[in-house]
Amino acid sequence: GGIRDSDIQAQQINLGAFQWTAYCSDEYAKSHGTPASPADLPGHRIVAYEKRIGMSGMSIWFMSHVSGDQIVAHCTEVPNMRVAIATEQGIGILPCVVADRIPSLRRCFAPCPEMASSFSLLVAPHARALPLMRAFVEFSADRIRAEMSKEQG
């Protein structure tokens, strides 16, 4: 039983990179200040990712600027991190395309190249050959690229 990686065939459509950076809530910033760079993170409460996102290069790079005793909570997914930051638990990293739309969150510092993540669509070749699926993939790719362009523009 199960599916082996060698059984999976998919076409990868690279859509570019999402920028991530550190965010805190407005209330956290009023109480604790806002770090202006990763070097200013010591002394702040940190919400860390664990599991898949926690093992990503961007998360490892961010966490290299803090000590373990600063970590006050762990999250496994972006929506959980968004809530943890919004409820003033501490500073954590989010994709700019998500967090910049939340009025109560503020960037702590500008996105760093070390905290960019690539974004791709995977499509089975036989599915991509179907006109409706091809139209969906092209529409989705165009929309995602436009959102990413707005984020960086």
Side-chain angles (χ1 to χ4, degrees):
I3 298 174
R4 297 183 314 255
D5 284 348
S6 61
D7 293 334
I8 300 172
Q9 293 185 11
Q11 179 183 9
Q12 182 175 354
I13 302 164
N14 187 358
L15 300 176
F18 276 122
Q19 297 297 315
W20 292 58
T21 194
Y23 288 85
C24 66
S25 69
D26 288 337
E27 290 302 314
Y28 178 93
K30 287 177 191 171
S31 299
H32 305 283
T34 305
S37 74
D40 297 331
L41 287 168
H44 284 278
R45 297 189 324 227
I46 302 297
V47 182
Y49 283 107
E50 59 184 6
K51 299 194 177 183
R52 183 181 54 83
I53 299 175
M55 298 304 297
S56 68
M58 67 190 166
S59 184
I60 292 168
W61 182 85
F62 176 75
M63 295 306 295
S64 74
H65 294 86
V66 302
S67 62
D69 62 342
Q70 290 177 253
I71 300 170
V72 296
H74 288 90
C75 296
T76 57
E77 300 294 332
V78 169
N80 300 347
M81 179 65 76
R82 183 180 53 78
V83 169
I85 295 169
T87 57
E88 304 172 42
Q89 291 184 39
I91 295 170
I93 60 173
L94 288 168
C96 299
V97 71
V98 171
D100 286 350
R101 296 180 176 169
I102 303 168
S104 64
L105 298 185
R106 66 170 64 176
R107 287 185 182 191
C108 294
F109 41 83
C112 307
E114 297 86 355
M115 293 195 335
S117 65
S118 62
F119 189 72
S120 300
L121 290 176
L122 297 177
V123 183
H126 68 278
R128 179 95 190 259
L130 301 170
L132 189 58
M133 180 59 79
R134 186 172 47 252
F136 172 77
V137 168
E138 290 170 6
F139 172 80
S140 298
D142 288 346
R143 289 292 304 259
I144 292 167
R145 285 185 182 117
E147 286 299 313
M148 292 170 70
S149 178
K150 277 195 269 182
E151 166 198 327
Q152 295 174 9

